[in-house]
Amino acid sequence: DAVAFYLLSQEVSQHVKVVQSGQGADEVFAGYHWYQKMASCPGDGLAEYAAVFFDRTHDEVNAAVSPEFALDRDVSRAFVEEWFSAPGAPSQSDRAPLRRALRLDTRVMLVEDPVKRVDNMTMAFGLEARVPFLDHDLVELAVACPPGLLVGGGGKGILKDLARPLLPADVIDRPKGYFPVPPLVHLDEAAVGLLRDALLAPEAKERGLYRADHVEHLLDHPHELTNLKYNQLWELGMVELWLQAQGIAS
């Protein structure tokens, strides 16, 4: 959806110079569907979190890259475990998995993905996007809220309750909407050709990032998907195209 934000910002910038964005509301007020599971799951919640965010298993990553790039340690899982167990982690009695997931999402994922994406795309056209849901006083208040106030009403419960005197129910309770472009799942012939040229280019072979047999398999089966239903060939090819565009040799 960075492409969609880019095109939207291009159009909007022709009419106004400052806009408000809803970025952060879902991460701060537990609006995403997985927070409901995190609020009631047993244990530490790591498996539930991994099911939402891990596009491939550790073994699947190692199966895609050449042996010299393979890792013995599952660094993705270790990253989440470190955040979940960091000092100040909530106690088990206070819906700990939910609190831990919200802390990780607001301090890492939100900063490095949604906020950065909108900031970069709007500023490309000199458009200032303000994010009122990330006002530090509001965030501190949300963190202090009992979990039930956050996950109530299917998520963002306290925001929905505050909005009811102001907005009609069909706006507040409508199904959650997104702003994506259609996912590239079934690649057409032109896209497969682009990725084939990139992955079989001399610089790609010299770099040796991916296993040659894995690349050949994906080129023969260009519609295989990851755990989160994204196209495997597209993901590998986009990394290789970026490396080539940046002139990165190894």
Side-chain angles (χ1 to χ4, degrees):
D1 58 359
V3 175
F5 276 114
Y6 182 87
L7 296 174
L8 178 64
S9 299
Q10 183 180 38
E11 176 63 28
V12 171
S13 68
Q14 299 177 33
H15 307 281
V16 297
K17 289 301 179 183
V18 180
V19 295
Q20 292 197 90
S21 170
Q23 293 296 321
D26 285 308
E27 292 83 2
V28 172
F29 289 95
Y32 289 122
H33 65 85
W34 59 84
Y35 293 130
Q36 308 299 312
K37 295 181 180 178
M38 299 296 291
S40 58
C41 68
D44 60 10
L46 184 58
E48 287 78 6
Y49 193 87
V52 175
F53 281 104
F54 290 11
D55 202 29
R56 301 165 190 252
T57 66
H58 177 65
D59 289 341
E60 288 169 337
V61 172
N62 280 344
V65 300
S66 298
E68 59 264 37
F69 296 105
L71 298 174
D72 295 332
R73 181 169 175 252
D74 187 343
V75 293
S76 297
R77 193 176 187 90
F79 177 82
V80 177
E81 287 179 336
E82 182 179 353
W83 270 92
F84 272 29
S85 61
S91 65
Q92 186 64 39
S93 61
D94 192 27
R95 302 198 189 188
L98 171 65
R99 294 291 197 185
R100 292 168 182 168
L102 288 170
R103 181 175 64 171
L104 173 54
D105 288 354
T106 53
R107 296 185 63 180
V108 178
M109 188 272 287
L110 177 62
V111 177
E112 300 294 343
D113 183 4
V115 171
K116 183 175 179 61
R117 176 201 322 150
V118 170
D119 187 50
N120 286 4
M121 298 304 103
T122 53
M123 291 309 296
F125 298 99
L127 182 65
E128 180 183 347
R130 298 178 179 177
V131 284
F133 286 113
L134 293 178
D135 176 87
H136 71 93
D137 288 327
L138 182 63
V139 173
E140 290 172 3
L141 180 61
V143 171
C145 283
L149 294 181
L150 302 178
V151 297
K156 293 189 286 193
I158 190 170
L159 284 184
K160 292 176 180 178
D161 290 342
L162 290 170
R164 293 197 185 281
L166 306 172
L167 298 172
D170 58 353
V171 172
I172 297 171
D173 299 316
R174 71 186 188 279
K176 183 171 177 56
Y178 294 88
F179 188 48
V181 294
L184 289 165
V185 175
H186 190 90
L187 304 180
D188 61 20
E189 185 176 344
V192 174
L194 171 71
L195 301 175
R196 177 181 287 108
D197 291 344
L199 291 166
L200 299 182
E203 52 265 53
K205 292 184 177 180
E206 183 178 352
R207 184 181 299 106
L209 175 58
Y210 304 127
R211 291 177 182 265
D213 58 344
H214 185 72
V215 170
E216 292 174 3
H217 172 80
L218 291 181
L219 289 172
D220 290 337
H221 305 84
H223 308 306
E224 287 193 3
L225 305 182
T226 66
N227 298 335
L228 299 184
K229 309 304 180 186
Y230 294 101
N231 187 281
Q232 291 196 38
L233 178 62
W234 180 260
E235 289 190 346
L236 268 63
M238 284 295 101
V239 173
E240 179 56 41
L241 279 170
W242 184 84
L243 291 170
Q244 292 178 22
Q246 303 303 315
I248 299 174
S250 60

